[in-house]
Amino acid sequence: MDSLQDDAARVEALAALSRFRREFYSCLTLRADALFELTDAVLCAGGPVVSLPELSLEAVHRRGHGAMYDALAQGHINVSRLRMALAGLELPREADRQLSIALDVTPWPRPDAECSPQRLHCHRPCRCDGVRQTIPGWPYQVAAALGGGRSSWTGPLDAVRLGPEDDPIEVTVTQIRDLLARLREAGQWLEGDPDVLFVMDSGYDLVRLTWLLREEPVRLLGRIRADRVMYAPAGKRRGTWPGRPPRHGAEFRLADPATHPTPTQESTGIHERFGEVLARCWGHLHPKPDRRGSWADHQGELPLVEGTLVHLAVDHLPGNRDPKPLWLWHSDPDATAHDVDRLWRIFLRRFDLEHTFRFFKQTLGLTRPRLRTPEQGDRWVWLILAAYAQLRLARPLAEDLRRAWEKPLTPDRLTPGRVRRGYPRIRRILGTPANTPKATHPGPGRPRGRTSTPAPRHPVGKKQQKKDMPRRGGAEKKT
């Protein structure tokens, strides 16, 4: 009986993978055969992807390296349709059907590509001296569904490249709204389901995002600085004289435990990596709004955005590092409506996205190609996302082809790297929808006596300049 169930599950997994491959091929509207075989070459390569020309030597890539570069330069991908295909796949969920989606930015370093436009100073700590914290490149903001337990797998759903003229807040809000619309259309989120939880690391203006997404069925959870100041709800005005009622209550300094009232919830436990863990939360706290930064263009009076603060204290960190206080912001102000122990565990699952980024770059070669234009880079990024989606669907079909020095893993614990080792066998079963290449002859080459003009140089873009704002004390800045 168990063997029959296993065979049925295998047949269903093969059918799901075959459907996605056909749908992915339909999303390639120009140079489809070359782009599809390039993706197969990424999946069937014997080791990490080190360069594009090396991929043309794979047996599944039946075209030359010139066709590969031509496909990335002149090809076209229906990104909207591919996004819907990714949203329609089975996504990991919590026990109550809640979707947890991590949102983070990963850079594609292009420090020496002076001829590549739309580069930005991307955050990337240098490992040589620890001083330089940025590197010119193309930043991509990726959204991926998180699993319920500790795993190296995620479910990438979307990727957006940030340009020099883009406002990160507006790009994030648009990306979240569009992703919610696709999840509704794909039946992943229905009326009555828990709000979708977006988990972010430091660097996002969570308060501003909470205000802009207040009408959407989303919740935000992210890390904030440990030196911020929050305020409790305002009480009644003291004294008998008339006047404006106060907007802020008692001060809550995150770095000063003396200003911390009794927590709304408190949870203690033992973690396998961090030892004893103490989690506390306080509800209905808000920061003092300031008409600077992302609030500079806000019309009318600045709102008070309430949320829940979560403080996490651990016994020790891996690597004998001194534990630092961790403060999280949750956009739901009612601290009694959720479990504080569950919140910080979901936040730790956000680091699974770091494993996905590392696998993208070190194994699938996300940042290996030296492409000229950002449009070519966008096509390559979407090919990598489609390749990773095929590995997710191939998990029930893969065997544990481990090295002699590696420990055996059960089928439910196979890593993306081990699934990729067995993908060539699965690909031989599935076949390919790509057409057989036609016989061609070498081109005429570059005309004799004709010299090309030097490619234009593009400076590295900078962040948008903040608009002139009133000085403190009411004096306007002189022009």
Short mmCIF file of all heavy atoms in Angstrom, two decimals, residues 303-341:
data_model
loop_
_atom_site.label_atom_id
_atom_site.label_comp_id
_atom_site.label_asym_id
_atom_site.label_seq_id
_atom_site.Cartn_x
_atom_site.Cartn_y
_atom_site.Cartn_z
N PRO A 303 0.64 61.12 10.98
CA PRO A 303 -0.15 60.19 11.80
C PRO A 303 0.70 59.52 12.88
O PRO A 303 1.94 59.49 12.81
CB PRO A 303 -0.64 59.17 10.78
CG PRO A 303 0.45 59.14 9.76
CD PRO A 303 1.00 60.54 9.68
N LEU A 304 0.01 58.97 13.86
CA LEU A 304 0.66 58.16 14.88
C LEU A 304 0.39 56.69 14.54
O LEU A 304 -0.74 56.23 14.58
CB LEU A 304 0.11 58.48 16.27
CG LEU A 304 0.30 59.93 16.76
CD1 LEU A 304 -0.25 60.11 18.16
CD2 LEU A 304 1.78 60.31 16.70
N VAL A 305 1.44 55.98 14.20
CA VAL A 305 1.34 54.59 13.77
C VAL A 305 1.74 53.69 14.93
O VAL A 305 2.90 53.69 15.36
CB VAL A 305 2.23 54.32 12.54
CG1 VAL A 305 2.06 52.89 12.06
CG2 VAL A 305 1.91 55.30 11.43
N GLU A 306 0.77 52.96 15.46
CA GLU A 306 1.03 52.09 16.60
C GLU A 306 1.41 50.69 16.15
O GLU A 306 1.00 50.21 15.08
CB GLU A 306 -0.20 52.02 17.51
CG GLU A 306 -0.51 53.32 18.22
CD GLU A 306 -1.64 53.15 19.22
OE1 GLU A 306 -2.40 52.17 19.10
OE2 GLU A 306 -1.76 54.00 20.13
N GLY A 307 2.21 50.04 16.96
CA GLY A 307 2.62 48.68 16.71
C GLY A 307 3.02 47.99 18.00
O GLY A 307 2.81 48.52 19.10
N THR A 308 3.57 46.82 17.87
CA THR A 308 4.02 46.02 19.01
C THR A 308 5.52 45.88 18.96
O THR A 308 6.10 45.55 17.92
CB THR A 308 3.37 44.63 18.99
OG1 THR A 308 1.96 44.77 19.12
CG2 THR A 308 3.89 43.76 20.12
N LEU A 309 6.17 46.14 20.08
CA LEU A 309 7.61 45.96 20.23
C LEU A 309 7.89 44.60 20.84
O LEU A 309 7.24 44.20 21.82
CB LEU A 309 8.22 47.04 21.10
CG LEU A 309 8.53 48.39 20.45
CD1 LEU A 309 9.14 49.32 21.48
CD2 LEU A 309 9.47 48.21 19.28
N VAL A 310 8.85 43.90 20.27
CA VAL A 310 9.26 42.59 20.78
C VAL A 310 10.74 42.66 21.09
O VAL A 310 11.54 43.04 20.24
CB VAL A 310 8.98 41.46 19.76
CG1 VAL A 310 9.43 40.12 20.31
CG2 VAL A 310 7.51 41.43 19.40
N HIS A 311 11.09 42.30 22.32
CA HIS A 311 12.49 42.29 22.74
C HIS A 311 12.91 40.85 22.96
O HIS A 311 12.22 40.07 23.63
CB HIS A 311 12.68 43.08 24.04
CG HIS A 311 14.08 43.02 24.57
ND1 HIS A 311 14.41 42.29 25.68
CD2 HIS A 311 15.23 43.59 24.12
CE1 HIS A 311 15.71 42.40 25.92
NE2 HIS A 311 16.22 43.18 24.98
N LEU A 312 14.06 40.50 22.38
CA LEU A 312 14.57 39.13 22.46
C LEU A 312 15.95 39.17 23.09
O LEU A 312 16.85 39.86 22.61
CB LEU A 312 14.63 38.50 21.06
CG LEU A 312 15.08 37.05 20.99
CD1 LEU A 312 14.07 36.15 21.70
CD2 LEU A 312 15.26 36.61 19.54
N ALA A 313 16.12 38.42 24.17
CA ALA A 313 17.41 38.29 24.86
C ALA A 313 17.79 36.82 24.89
O ALA A 313 16.97 35.97 25.30
CB ALA A 313 17.33 38.86 26.27
N VAL A 314 19.01 36.50 24.43
CA VAL A 314 19.46 35.11 24.36
C VAL A 314 20.67 34.94 25.26
O VAL A 314 21.34 35.90 25.66
CB VAL A 314 19.81 34.71 22.91
CG1 VAL A 314 18.58 34.84 22.02
CG2 VAL A 314 20.95 35.56 22.36
N ASP A 315 20.96 33.68 25.57
CA ASP A 315 22.07 33.37 26.46
C ASP A 315 23.41 33.51 25.75
O ASP A 315 24.37 34.06 26.29
CB ASP A 315 21.89 31.94 27.00
CG ASP A 315 22.92 31.60 28.06
OD1 ASP A 315 23.50 32.54 28.64
OD2 ASP A 315 23.15 30.40 28.31
N HIS A 316 23.51 33.03 24.51
CA HIS A 316 24.76 33.10 23.76
C HIS A 316 24.44 33.00 22.27
O HIS A 316 23.35 32.61 21.88
CB HIS A 316 25.72 31.98 24.17
CG HIS A 316 25.17 30.61 23.92
ND1 HIS A 316 24.43 29.92 24.87
CD2 HIS A 316 25.22 29.80 22.83
CE1 HIS A 316 24.06 28.74 24.38
NE2 HIS A 316 24.52 28.64 23.14
N LEU A 317 25.42 33.38 21.45
CA LEU A 317 25.31 33.30 20.00
C LEU A 317 26.36 32.34 19.47
O LEU A 317 27.42 32.15 20.08
CB LEU A 317 25.50 34.68 19.37
CG LEU A 317 24.42 35.73 19.65
CD1 LEU A 317 24.83 37.07 19.03
CD2 LEU A 317 23.08 35.29 19.11
N PRO A 318 26.10 31.70 18.31
CA PRO A 318 27.13 30.83 17.71
C PRO A 318 28.40 31.59 17.40
O PRO A 318 28.38 32.75 17.01
CB PRO A 318 26.45 30.31 16.44
CG PRO A 318 24.99 30.46 16.69
CD PRO A 318 24.84 31.67 17.55
N GLY A 319 29.54 30.95 17.61
CA GLY A 319 30.82 31.59 17.37
C GLY A 319 31.34 32.37 18.56
O GLY A 319 32.25 33.20 18.40
N ASN A 320 30.78 32.15 19.76
CA ASN A 320 31.24 32.82 20.99
C ASN A 320 31.14 34.33 20.89
O ASN A 320 31.97 35.06 21.43
CB ASN A 320 32.69 32.41 21.31
CG ASN A 320 32.82 30.93 21.60
OD1 ASN A 320 31.92 30.32 22.19
ND2 ASN A 320 33.94 30.34 21.19
N ARG A 321 30.15 34.79 20.18
CA ARG A 321 29.94 36.24 20.10
C ARG A 321 29.04 36.71 21.23
O ARG A 321 28.17 35.98 21.70
CB ARG A 321 29.30 36.60 18.76
CG ARG A 321 30.19 36.36 17.56
CD ARG A 321 29.47 36.73 16.28
NE ARG A 321 28.32 35.86 16.08
CZ ARG A 321 27.39 36.05 15.14
NH1 ARG A 321 27.48 37.10 14.35
NH2 ARG A 321 26.39 35.21 15.01
N ASP A 322 29.28 37.94 21.65
CA ASP A 322 28.47 38.49 22.73
C ASP A 322 27.07 38.79 22.20
O ASP A 322 26.91 39.45 21.17
CB ASP A 322 29.09 39.78 23.26
CG ASP A 322 30.44 39.53 23.92
OD1 ASP A 322 30.63 38.40 24.43
OD2 ASP A 322 31.30 40.43 23.91
N PRO A 323 26.05 38.32 22.89
CA PRO A 323 24.68 38.59 22.41
C PRO A 323 24.31 40.05 22.57
O PRO A 323 24.60 40.68 23.59
CB PRO A 323 23.82 37.68 23.30
CG PRO A 323 24.63 37.46 24.53
CD PRO A 323 26.07 37.48 24.10
N LYS A 324 23.70 40.61 21.55
CA LYS A 324 23.22 41.98 21.58
C LYS A 324 21.69 41.99 21.64
O LYS A 324 21.05 41.05 21.17
CB LYS A 324 23.70 42.76 20.35
CG LYS A 324 25.21 42.88 20.26
CD LYS A 324 25.63 43.67 19.02
CE LYS A 324 27.14 43.79 18.93
NZ LYS A 324 27.56 44.55 17.73
N PRO A 325 21.12 43.03 22.20
CA PRO A 325 19.65 43.07 22.27
C PRO A 325 19.04 43.15 20.89
O PRO A 325 19.52 43.87 20.01
CB PRO A 325 19.36 44.33 23.09
CG PRO A 325 20.59 45.17 22.95
CD PRO A 325 21.73 44.21 22.83
N LEU A 326 17.98 42.39 20.68
CA LEU A 326 17.28 42.36 19.40
C LEU A 326 15.88 42.89 19.61
O LEU A 326 15.11 42.37 20.43
CB LEU A 326 17.23 40.93 18.86
CG LEU A 326 16.47 40.73 17.54
CD1 LEU A 326 17.17 41.46 16.41
CD2 LEU A 326 16.33 39.24 17.21
N TRP A 327 15.54 43.94 18.84
CA TRP A 327 14.23 44.56 18.94
C TRP A 327 13.52 44.39 17.60
O TRP A 327 14.08 44.67 16.54
CB TRP A 327 14.34 46.05 19.28
CG TRP A 327 14.78 46.31 20.68
CD1 TRP A 327 16.05 46.49 21.13
CD2 TRP A 327 13.94 46.42 21.83
NE1 TRP A 327 16.07 46.71 22.48
CE2 TRP A 327 14.78 46.67 22.94
CE3 TRP A 327 12.56 46.33 22.03
CZ2 TRP A 327 14.29 46.84 24.22
CZ3 TRP A 327 12.07 46.48 23.31
CH2 TRP A 327 12.92 46.74 24.40
N LEU A 328 12.28 43.94 17.68
CA LEU A 328 11.45 43.72 16.51
C LEU A 328 10.22 44.62 16.57
O LEU A 328 9.71 44.92 17.66
CB LEU A 328 11.01 42.26 16.40
CG LEU A 328 12.10 41.20 16.40
CD1 LEU A 328 11.48 39.80 16.36
CD2 LEU A 328 13.06 41.39 15.26
N TRP A 329 9.76 45.03 15.40
CA TRP A 329 8.53 45.82 15.27
C TRP A 329 7.49 44.99 14.54
O TRP A 329 7.75 44.47 13.46
CB TRP A 329 8.81 47.12 14.51
CG TRP A 329 7.58 47.84 14.04
CD1 TRP A 329 6.90 47.64 12.87
CD2 TRP A 329 6.86 48.87 14.72
NE1 TRP A 329 5.82 48.48 12.79
CE2 TRP A 329 5.77 49.25 13.91
CE3 TRP A 329 7.03 49.52 15.94
CZ2 TRP A 329 4.87 50.25 14.27
CZ3 TRP A 329 6.15 50.51 16.30
CH2 TRP A 329 5.08 50.87 15.48
N HIS A 330 6.32 44.86 15.14
CA HIS A 330 5.21 44.16 14.51
C HIS A 330 4.09 45.15 14.30
O HIS A 330 3.72 45.90 15.21
CB HIS A 330 4.73 43.00 15.39
CG HIS A 330 3.75 42.09 14.70
ND1 HIS A 330 2.50 41.84 15.20
CD2 HIS A 330 3.83 41.40 13.54
CE1 HIS A 330 1.86 41.01 14.39
NE2 HIS A 330 2.64 40.73 13.38
N SER A 331 3.52 45.17 13.09
CA SER A 331 2.56 46.21 12.74
C SER A 331 1.22 46.04 13.44
O SER A 331 0.41 46.97 13.41
CB SER A 331 2.35 46.24 11.22
OG SER A 331 1.86 44.99 10.76
N ASP A 332 0.94 44.89 14.04
CA ASP A 332 -0.31 44.70 14.78
C ASP A 332 -0.12 45.26 16.18
O ASP A 332 0.67 44.76 16.97
CB ASP A 332 -0.66 43.22 14.84
CG ASP A 332 -2.04 42.98 15.45
OD1 ASP A 332 -2.69 43.97 15.84
OD2 ASP A 332 -2.45 41.82 15.53
N PRO A 333 -0.85 46.33 16.56
CA PRO A 333 -0.62 46.94 17.88
C PRO A 333 -1.15 46.10 19.04
O PRO A 333 -0.74 46.33 20.18
CB PRO A 333 -1.36 48.28 17.78
CG PRO A 333 -2.43 48.05 16.78
CD PRO A 333 -1.87 47.08 15.78
N ASP A 334 -2.05 45.17 18.78
CA ASP A 334 -2.63 44.36 19.86
C ASP A 334 -1.66 43.24 20.21
O ASP A 334 -1.59 42.21 19.51
CB ASP A 334 -3.98 43.80 19.43
CG ASP A 334 -4.71 43.13 20.58
OD1 ASP A 334 -4.20 43.17 21.72
OD2 ASP A 334 -5.80 42.57 20.35
N ALA A 335 -0.91 43.40 21.27
CA ALA A 335 0.11 42.42 21.64
C ALA A 335 -0.49 41.12 22.16
O ALA A 335 0.18 40.10 22.17
CB ALA A 335 1.05 43.01 22.69
N THR A 336 -1.74 41.15 22.60
CA THR A 336 -2.35 39.93 23.13
C THR A 336 -2.97 39.06 22.04
O THR A 336 -3.43 37.96 22.33
CB THR A 336 -3.44 40.31 24.15
OG1 THR A 336 -4.46 41.10 23.50
CG2 THR A 336 -2.84 41.11 25.30
N ALA A 337 -2.98 39.54 20.80
CA ALA A 337 -3.64 38.80 19.72
C ALA A 337 -2.71 37.78 19.07
O ALA A 337 -3.15 37.03 18.21
CB ALA A 337 -4.17 39.76 18.66
N HIS A 338 -1.44 37.74 19.45
CA HIS A 338 -0.52 36.80 18.84
C HIS A 338 0.47 36.30 19.89
O HIS A 338 0.62 36.88 20.97
CB HIS A 338 0.23 37.45 17.67
CG HIS A 338 0.70 38.85 17.96
ND1 HIS A 338 -0.02 39.96 17.59
CD2 HIS A 338 1.78 39.30 18.61
CE1 HIS A 338 0.60 41.05 17.99
NE2 HIS A 338 1.70 40.67 18.61
N ASP A 339 1.15 35.23 19.55
CA ASP A 339 2.09 34.59 20.46
C ASP A 339 3.47 35.22 20.26
O ASP A 339 4.02 35.21 19.15
CB ASP A 339 2.13 33.09 20.19
CG ASP A 339 2.97 32.34 21.19
OD1 ASP A 339 3.42 32.97 22.17
OD2 ASP A 339 3.19 31.13 21.01
N VAL A 340 4.06 35.75 21.32
CA VAL A 340 5.35 36.41 21.20
C VAL A 340 6.43 35.40 20.87
O VAL A 340 7.39 35.71 20.15
CB VAL A 340 5.67 37.18 22.50
CG1 VAL A 340 5.72 36.24 23.71
CG2 VAL A 340 6.97 37.93 22.37
N ASP A 341 6.30 34.18 21.38
CA ASP A 341 7.30 33.16 21.07
C ASP A 341 7.28 32.80 19.59
O ASP A 341 8.32 32.53 18.99
CB ASP A 341 7.04 31.92 21.93
CG ASP A 341 8.12 30.86 21.74
OD1 ASP A 341 9.26 31.11 22.17
OD2 ASP A 341 7.82 29.80 21.16
#
